[in-house]
Amino acid sequence: MEFEYHKFDLHSWLDVGKHALANSCVTRTSQFWMALKVWTEKPQVVNKALCSAKIQSKSNSVQECLSCVLNLYRTEHDLPKILVATTLSEEVAKLSSVLSCDTEIYVRDLIPKKLDRMTTLRDIVIFDKANTCAYFLPVCHLGKSTSQRGSQNFPYRIRFLQESNQNCILLQTPAKLSPEFQSSVDWLCTHLLTKLGKWSQDDESSGKLRHSLRLVQADEYSVLYQHLKEKHGKRLVKIWPESTDPQKFVYEDVAIATYLLLLWKQEAATKQLNKKQSFVDLGCGNGLLVYILTKEGHTGVGLDVRKRKIWSLYGPDVELKESSIVPSDRHLFPEYDWLIGNHSDELTPWIPVMAARSSYRCRYFLLPCCSHDFSRKFVRRDSKSSQYRDYLNYVKEIGGICGFNVEEDILRIPSTKRICFVALTRGHTEVEQTLVDERISAYIDGRTMAPPAPRDGRTTPTPAPRDAERSTSEELAAERHDEDPLSAVSCSRHIPVSKCLASASSGSNSGDVPVSKGLCSGSNSGDVLVSKGLCSTSNSGDVPVSKGLCSTSNSGDVPVSKGLCSTSNSGDVPVSKGLCSTSNSRDVPVSQGLCSTSNSGDVPVSQSWAAEFEARGKVEPVRNCTKLNRDVVRRVVDMVGAELIRRGSDSDYSQLDDGRCWNRGGSLPIQQVAHMLEASTLQQLKRECGGLQTLLKNHRNIFTVRESAVKFTDNLDSSHTGSSAKKRKCNNNAICDAALLYKTKLCWFHDKHPQGCPLMADKCNFAHGQNELRIRIFK
């Protein structure tokens, strides 16, 4: 679409909208500019028809900006738009005469969500900071012109006006604006000005902008998301057999699949991969993410402790397995490229570890939700940040400990937990993997053996994360230098070596030499005690090896404890907590170890990396407060109801049709309700999903929970009345006949409220007394 700028007078502006700022708020110009920056860089938070804004250039010069626009069209070989941009250049050149020297200029593309129905709009944004105003000048649509909501096909200006009695934000358009633009002007007044006013008074908006979809291209995301939504989403919503909300779960997984497909496409181009990436989805749940990724050409498998109904609808080409996942060498995936943790709960902290130990080329994608540590619930470490942010920092720290360069991004999904972690590369070389694995083990031991952190807001002492600007290679080299002063010399008789690293071919240990916490790469032929070390060759004598790694043979009666035996063990050798990577031909007890090949004897193997870890049970427990003791539930409901009645003031009374004055009660913060409960009751509620709020919401015929407060239901009439034949849709998409529920429960208001139920007995769906109570019939 061509914009005829000769019709607009950019030197004469007319006030068309005004938003007055509250007198109690002191709005600084810096807050106003931050609010405008949100609208410039993240317009989708206001205009829901947009996917994002792509900033093509940012400069402080009008000429640089116009040159950028012309170069973009020259690259696109679009002659008509070059002519439009040339006309715009002339108009902006005139406008530049009134601009101050302190300017900030953007060229941006406004990308719509539905590119098949709407077109991308390119515009120029000029921040004139000295005059506290911003100009928004459309260039043209990048495609067929269409009428779209919130599309500003005309210049407009936003000003911050500081007056003696009140500050305000003005919306201005060129004088004599055509009536065809009136709907867009109205949209700007009702939507944009309100948001700008709110952000200008909000101190939180003055922080750093956080952009979503930082690791992928937003325009490509918009196109692919709409394609997958049409291809998979709509059909799955119609056939969804689960009790969960399909509108949320289907389109959330479509969005995650879109993100991963684009991420993998970029990775394939960067690394010049000749085949599509493979994946394992750990804790795949309904398996929808596995289904979409498989249908889009990626080989993968989904694992979950419990099979879902919808699995059978996906078809035989979608590989989903019912399996309990315990972090150990039995659950490593060296043949796959990516591990996916999408709301993986107790597996969340383990996924970086499993990826690190699966293979050097394994990467991971992680979307944390519930806060879990390696073997228990996560205990908050930093009271200065939210519990969610504190847990995210912890999960990212684990990725660094495991040697990954972890990127953080924000997804576009219908969830409050939208922050994800992507580990595309490692910060160390493959030859250093063994040392990284030792660091991982030490970190896990520190987290699983230490007691929970105190709840006093102090930070729990944990192994320090790797410095972001210091590579793992540098760190490991420093460790060698600090901890291994004897790495280049031999370890001879009667020399205790503590915490040393004896490198390959560095020397032998031929005598009675205790080696503690070291790596012995040569031979040990005598009565040598090797503790917490790595023995990479042979041990031919009566040698107890404790917590060490024996990479070749052990031919004698040698107890090997907590070590790694990578080849054979031909004698009566107890191997405890070790890794036996080849064969064990005798009756050898192997405990808590990793046996990666064969064990031909009667060998009990327990392989969990953390003995305290508890995998989720196959049967999902019901935790929606419906299985709580009925006496407990009744006491909570009666106590809350009585307190609401007590808080009712004169203004809370209403006149009923039968002449009674009825107390609608006051409002009670949820936090105060919690303080009223006994400690034992609180503990029971904490074990339920949503806790106290879930219990109160289950009684929606009595209470309404909104904005962290509870009161008697606002829709008392509609919740109590209705035709006995009325039908409603249940959570599992089945149709429930309300006639089956009619008068099957006693009316709480009739029994407990001082003025009784506000409805007459024949109009209330609940029984007014035992004589009205009916037996519920189940179909």
Side-chain angles (χ1 to χ4, degrees), residues 558-576:
V558 184
V560 182
S561 176
K562 297 182 181 177
L564 285 78
C565 181
S566 64
T567 55
S568 61
N569 187 320
S570 56
D572 299 325
V573 184
V575 182
S576 177

Side-chain angles (χ1 to χ4, degrees), residues 398-473:
I398 295 174
I401 293 292
C402 294
F404 290 97
N405 298 318
V406 183
E407 297 274 2
E408 182 176 320
D409 205 352
I410 303 175
L411 301 179
R412 299 251 182 100
I413 56 176
S415 172
T416 56
K417 307 293 177 68
R418 301 187 299 130
I419 296 177
C420 69
F421 296 111
V422 177
L424 282 163
T425 58
R426 306 274 183 128
H428 61 90
T429 62
E430 190 168 1
V431 296
E432 296 167 326
Q433 184 61 34
T434 301
L435 295 173
V436 173
D437 191 68
E438 289 180 347
R439 184 173 64 191
I440 295 172
S441 297
Y443 187 82
I444 294 173
D445 288 346
R447 295 295 302 179
T448 55
M449 296 178 183
R455 296 177 180 270
D456 58 359
R458 291 177 295 177
T459 302
T460 304
T462 56
R466 178 171 53 88
D467 189 275
E469 298 181 358
R470 189 183 188 192
S471 70
T472 304
S473 301

Side-chain angles (χ1 to χ4, degrees), residues 187-259:
W187 186 91
L188 287 172
C189 292
T190 56
H191 291 79
L192 179 59
L193 278 185
T194 303
K195 283 290 186 182
L196 292 177
K198 177 181 180 299
W199 295 335
S200 295
Q201 298 172 101
D202 188 358
D203 287 334
E204 295 180 0
S205 68
S206 60
K208 185 178 179 181
L209 282 181
R210 301 177 65 196
H211 293 277
S212 59
L213 306 180
R214 189 174 55 84
L215 301 181
V216 299
Q217 295 295 324
D219 51 347
E220 294 182 10
Y221 177 90
S222 180
V223 173
L224 183 57
Y225 176 76
Q226 291 301 324
H227 170 70
L228 295 179
K229 186 177 179 181
E230 293 292 329
K231 183 178 179 181
H232 305 294
K234 291 185 176 181
R235 183 182 67 85
L236 289 168
V237 167
K238 291 180 181 178
I239 65 171
W240 193 251
E242 306 292 339
S243 59
T244 52
D245 180 12
Q247 292 290 337
K248 178 187 186 299
F249 286 91
V250 170
Y251 293 124
E252 179 174 325
D253 281 353
V254 169
I256 296 172
T258 303
Y259 183 86

Side-chain angles (χ1 to χ4, degrees), residues 486-491 501-508 519-522:
L486 303 177
S487 62
V489 299
S490 61
C491 181
L501 176 66
S503 61
S505 302
S506 64
S508 61
L519 283 78
C520 180
S521 63

Side-chain angles (χ1 to χ4, degrees), residues 263-292:
L263 189 72
W264 292 347
K265 179 183 175 182
Q266 292 175 187
E267 183 192 40
T270 302
K271 298 182 178 180
Q272 297 182 341
L273 304 179
N274 54 13
K275 66 175 183 179
K276 291 188 174 183
Q277 296 90 331
S278 57
F279 68 92
V280 180
D281 188 352
L282 300 171
C284 64
N286 56 50
L288 180 54
L289 183 59
V290 179
Y291 168 80
I292 297 173

